[in-house]
Amino acid sequence: MPLSFSARSRVELRSSYGRATVELRFSAPISSLTLQNETTFRSFTLQHPSNQQALRATPLSLWALLLAVLISSIAVAQKQPVPNQALTKIEVLPEVTSRQGNRTVNATTGAVRTLLAENYQTAPGTPEGRARQFLEANVGRVGLDQPDLRDLRLHSVREGKATTVVRFEQHVDEVPVLRARVIVSIDPEGVVRYVSSSYEPGVVVASMRATLAPALSKTVATNYLGVVDGVSSEIQDTVILPRGAQSRLVHRSLISPLRSPQGDWEVLVDAITGAVLRSEDRAAYAGAHEDRRAARRGVTDGDGETFDPDPLSSANATYGDTGFVDGGDATTTQLEGELMMVSLLDITDDGGTFSLTGPWAEITDHDPPFKGLFTQASSTFNFTRDNDAFEAVTVYFHIDSLMRYLNVTLALDIRPYQYATGVRADPSGFSGADNSSYSTGTGRLRFGEGGVDDAEDSDVIHHELGHGLHDWVTAGGLSQVNGLSEGTGDYTAQSYNRSLGSWSPADPAYHWVFRWDGHNEFWSGRVTNYEASYDGGLTGSIHTDGQIWATCNMLIWDSIGNEASDVAFWEGLAMTGSSTNQEDAAQAVLQAAADLGYSGGTLTDMFNIYANCGYDVMAVAPSVDIFSDGFESGDTTAWSSVTP
């Protein structure tokens, strides 16, 4: 018979292996629970201490709850997560692909991942209608299950400078399949040229009826991670974990612990059994929006002193030269000599209190050690590097400058989809550790303070912003296959730094990334003259392998100029998805350049560079010339001088 419980009841779990106590507080529905286990359980019975009756008639939801908490507790006892390392019960293996003509397919399952150099003319219609025309006519070639496309829901449409990108999300009974999308890119003439897919064929779910409440799965997830100091953000939804005929309905929690374990954790909890199926840190590490001024009290231009791009580049100095050392975050005469007065555009004036909040950047304080927002009674923010406000000024300036360059000067329209304000960044985060990251869940950046403060180096700021740009331009389809997003971050940082002309190609530092933060006693930094090629030079380390992608695209940058390279790079990435590897991304960038009207000579240069890097790309023909503004002029005007 069902048992009744008081507002606070204790349930004892007994087994031959040990005992645990579960404390349940009920307030219709259950509001919280705690569990402490003494040893590992393999089988158990449940008894209520008031009458010792076995809880055989307990409702299924309570059984699922107790099982879920028990499983999560055992998992915590056995293994604590390590940042940026997947802890899985359903193993996640890197996808191996192979080229079959103009298609890239999963080498094991045969699932289609890209269609390259397509030439399908669609009839006039909406972007979604044109994309569906193509998919309905090519169900087999794309590898879809439903001829009528009933399992595809429109996710987003991006009208680029030349290419229109239509994204569909795979669904089962209105529930999205985790990171399963079909992306169709259409040129200005209505021709489908490039298709990227992470569609999962053959998805079968035994039960679509969840017995574990989503709110309770969050407790399971935080217990599994061992979170004890609270979280800075937590997002939850219900999705399908694709595993063919063994696919599962899961509650997904995106958790950013305040302190430990550091990371941007995605935890998948089986919605039927409560078991933790996967826990993975998805943070990207250094290792149509509303009017962005409308809701703000007052807007004014301020000014402040910062490094641009970093003190070593502006001084043509080497780390270790007199005065050019971190010295425990100390200032020196030499470092103060590299301070540059810059404009802080469109900051907020709230009745005489000025804050670094603008339409393209916003200083936040969402991560420990919580040093504040650095508001003040003056619009002039002059500090030296030994003051934490200096990093806030540097972050605001460099994010604001790059976002204006991309969105105003190049008119690319790449903005956060998680919120409608400027890019949110905490200049003093990561609990002071020597690392920085971008969160795909919240769209926020945070910068650590170990070694050289990360937020003093524009390369670190732009690298993390590069992850965000990759996430935003793909509408949530950031890919780390082959370290694609790490290379994208390095390219973003290097493109800005090199445009300032601080170094000549003969200087070793010309190719360095993280010139001030790295290449010193704290860590070795990275380079964009990496000698390995694709794909024989891949090591399996995303930060190492990303250097192939960054190096190759900086060769194109040197060849065709910064603006032409940047536009093709971001318009190409906009055509890709979460399963895209470096080779397919190279094809997308090449296709974007053709759609943009780049000349045959430019396309040949790009093709040859990609081919010499080891990418098996296909040649593309020039499209109509839609530019008259000199995008191929090789102009290298500094971005920091751009004003809307």
Side-chain angles (χ1 to χ4, degrees):
M1 57 179 287
L3 299 175
S4 62
F5 293 86
S6 61
R8 173 175 292 183
S9 297
R10 296 178 66 82
V11 178
E12 191 172 51
L13 308 182
R14 297 180 182 273
S15 81
S16 57
Y17 295 94
R19 177 174 60 187
T21 298
V22 180
E23 182 177 337
L24 302 175
R25 297 183 179 93
F26 295 86
S27 59
I30 298 170
S31 60
S32 64
L33 58 92
T34 60
L35 182 147
Q36 182 178 0
N37 70 293
E38 296 179 2
T39 187
T40 300
F41 289 77
R42 298 189 181 181
S43 63
F44 55 87
T45 60
L46 303 178
Q47 291 186 327
H48 192 284
S50 65
N51 57 16
Q52 302 300 310
Q53 287 182 303
L55 302 183
R56 294 187 177 89
T58 300
L60 179 60
S61 60
L62 180 57
W63 276 100
L65 165 64
L66 296 175
L67 269 171
V69 176
L70 179 61
I71 292 168
S72 68
S73 177
I74 293 170
V76 170
Q78 290 175 335
K79 187 172 185 179
Q80 290 291 339
V82 177
N84 214 24
Q85 176 180 342
L87 305 177
T88 63
K89 294 199 173 181
I90 292 181
E91 189 174 7
V92 180
L93 297 175
E95 185 174 46
V96 178
T97 59
S98 63
R99 181 70 61 81
Q100 296 179 358
N102 76 326
R103 300 195 310 171
T104 300
V105 302
N106 182 299
T108 302
T109 67
V112 176
R113 292 301 174 234
T114 54
L115 295 177
L116 314 173
E118 284 290 295
N119 190 30
Y120 185 91
Q121 179 67 60
T122 61
T126 65
E128 180 185 3
R130 286 178 180 268
R132 286 188 178 274
Q133 286 178 42
F134 170 80
L135 294 175
E136 288 172 353
N138 292 275
V139 169
R141 294 190 65 246
V142 181
L144 307 179
D145 287 339
Q146 307 296 334
D148 60 359
L149 311 183
R150 64 178 179 271
D151 58 347
L152 296 183
R153 306 286 187 274
L154 180 66
H155 179 272
S156 64
V157 176
R158 180 181 188 272
E159 300 278 359
K161 293 183 71 68
T163 305
T164 298
V165 181
V166 184
R167 293 176 185 270
F168 297 97
E169 189 171 57
Q170 183 181 358
H171 282 239
V172 175
D173 293 346
E174 306 303 323
V175 179
V177 179
L178 182 64
R179 285 187 281 279
R181 296 180 183 176
V182 180
I183 307 159
V184 181
S185 298
I186 308 169
D187 78 2
E189 305 303 314
V191 178
V192 174
R193 298 290 189 185
Y194 184 96
V195 178
S196 177
S197 176
S198 53
Y199 183 92
E200 295 288 349
V203 171
V204 177
V205 184
S207 175
M208 294 292 292
R209 183 175 179 271
T211 57
L212 180 69
L216 296 179
S217 72
K218 292 195 294 186
T219 300
V220 174
T222 53
N223 282 348
Y224 178 77
L225 292 174
V227 176
V228 295
D229 294 322
V231 300
S232 63
S233 68
E234 189 172 36
I235 302 170
Q236 190 171 51
D237 59 7
T238 300
V239 299
I240 303 296
L241 177 62
R243 287 296 180 270
Q246 305 299 318
S247 299
R248 311 295 289 272
L249 181 70
V250 300
H251 295 314
R252 178 174 66 153
S253 293
L254 302 175
I255 300 172
S256 300
L258 281 174
R259 289 184 169 83
S260 179
Q262 288 284 354
D264 188 23
W265 293 93
E266 177 185 77
V267 183
L268 305 182
V269 178
D270 193 302
I272 311 297
T273 69
V276 175
L277 299 181
R278 183 196 300 174
S279 175
E280 182 180 8
D281 180 8
R282 295 189 61 81
Y285 292 90
H289 296 262
E290 63 192 51
D291 186 330
R292 293 167 180 256
R293 292 187 175 200
R296 295 166 54 221
R297 299 278 181 96
V299 177
T300 189
D301 289 344
D303 52 39
E305 290 185 329
T306 188
F307 294 143
D308 186 22
D310 61 78
L312 299 181
S313 294
S314 58
N316 275 149
T318 300
Y319 188 92
D321 288 351
T322 301
F324 290 99
V325 294
D326 177 65
D329 205 25
T331 187
T332 67
T333 301
Q334 290 79 7
L335 290 173
E336 290 182 15
E338 299 309 313
L339 294 175
M340 299 186 182
M341 182 64 73
V342 298
S343 294
L344 303 175
L345 302 178
D346 296 325
I347 62 175
T348 296
D349 176 3
D350 186 1
T353 298
F354 296 88
S355 62
L356 296 172
T357 299
W360 298 105
E362 177 181 348
I363 294 302
T364 65
D365 187 27
H366 63 263
D367 208 50
F370 302 119
K371 294 187 175 180
L373 297 175
F374 307 103
T375 60
Q376 61 179 39
S378 169
S379 62
T380 295
F381 290 75
N382 285 348
F383 304 96
T384 52
R385 69 182 294 262
D386 53 342
N387 189 312
D388 291 322
F390 177 78
E391 284 78 43
V393 175
T394 304
V395 168
Y396 183 89
F397 169 72
H398 282 297
I399 291 178
D400 178 80
S401 296
L402 182 54
M403 291 298 288
R404 289 176 191 269
Y405 166 72
L406 294 173
N407 288 278
V408 179
T409 302
L410 300 187
L412 289 176
D413 193 17
I414 311 176
R415 318 180 192 201
Y417 59 82
Q418 296 94 337
Y419 46 83
T421 61
V423 176
R424 297 173 180 173
D426 188 336
S428 302
F430 232 106
S431 296
D434 190 11
N435 211 338
S436 297
S437 69
Y438 164 77
S439 168
T440 57
T442 64
R444 300 184 306 201
L445 286 66
R446 58 177 177 163
F447 300 94
E449 300 175 301
V452 174
D453 290 356
D454 285 7
E456 292 182 9
D457 189 334
S458 73
D459 282 0
V460 181
I461 298 169
H462 290 145
H463 174 93
E464 296 307 334
L465 181 57
H467 286 308
L469 294 165
H470 188 181
D471 187 33
W472 304 329
V473 81
T474 59
L478 178 152
S479 171
Q480 281 287 25
V481 179
N482 305 149
L484 181 64
S485 197
E486 296 305 331
T488 293
D490 287 357
Y491 170 86
T492 306
Q494 184 69 288
S495 179
Y496 174 83
N497 202 313
R498 193 171 291 182
S499 74
L500 300 182
S502 300
W503 305 97
S504 74
D507 296 319
Y510 181 80
H511 301 286
W512 289 0
V513 188
F514 314 119
R515 294 163 177 83
W516 174 228
D517 182 67
H519 300 278
N520 51 35
E521 72 265 28
F522 301 113
W523 73 294
S524 58
R526 290 197 288 275
V527 298
T528 54
N529 60 342
Y530 190 59
E531 295 183 354
S533 60
Y534 190 88
D535 63 352
L538 295 175
T539 67
S541 167
I542 57 175
H543 294 90
T544 300
D545 294 341
Q547 292 174 110
I548 301 175
W549 179 241
T551 293
C552 198
N553 282 283
M554 286 309 300
L555 290 172
I556 291 174
W557 192 101
D558 282 337
S559 175
I560 71 175
N562 68 320
E563 290 190 355
S565 177
D566 290 341
V567 170
F569 182 85
W570 291 112
E571 288 290 282
L573 275 189
M575 299 158 61
T576 67
S578 61
S579 64
T580 301
N581 60 27
Q582 289 188 25
E583 185 169 78
D584 290 343
Q587 186 71 52
V589 173
L590 194 58
Q591 184 63 59
D595 293 347
L596 288 161
Y598 288 12
S599 68
T602 296
L603 295 176
T604 298
D605 288 346
M606 295 175 66
F607 173 86
N608 288 336
I609 290 171
Y610 278 140
N612 289 335
C613 291
Y615 300 123
D616 184 16
V617 291
M618 303 176 66
V620 294
S623 183
V624 294
D625 186 358
I626 62 172
F627 284 134
S628 59
D629 58 1
F631 262 20
E632 298 187 69
S633 66
D635 179 16
T636 56
T637 302
W639 299 346
S640 56
S641 65
V642 173
T643 303

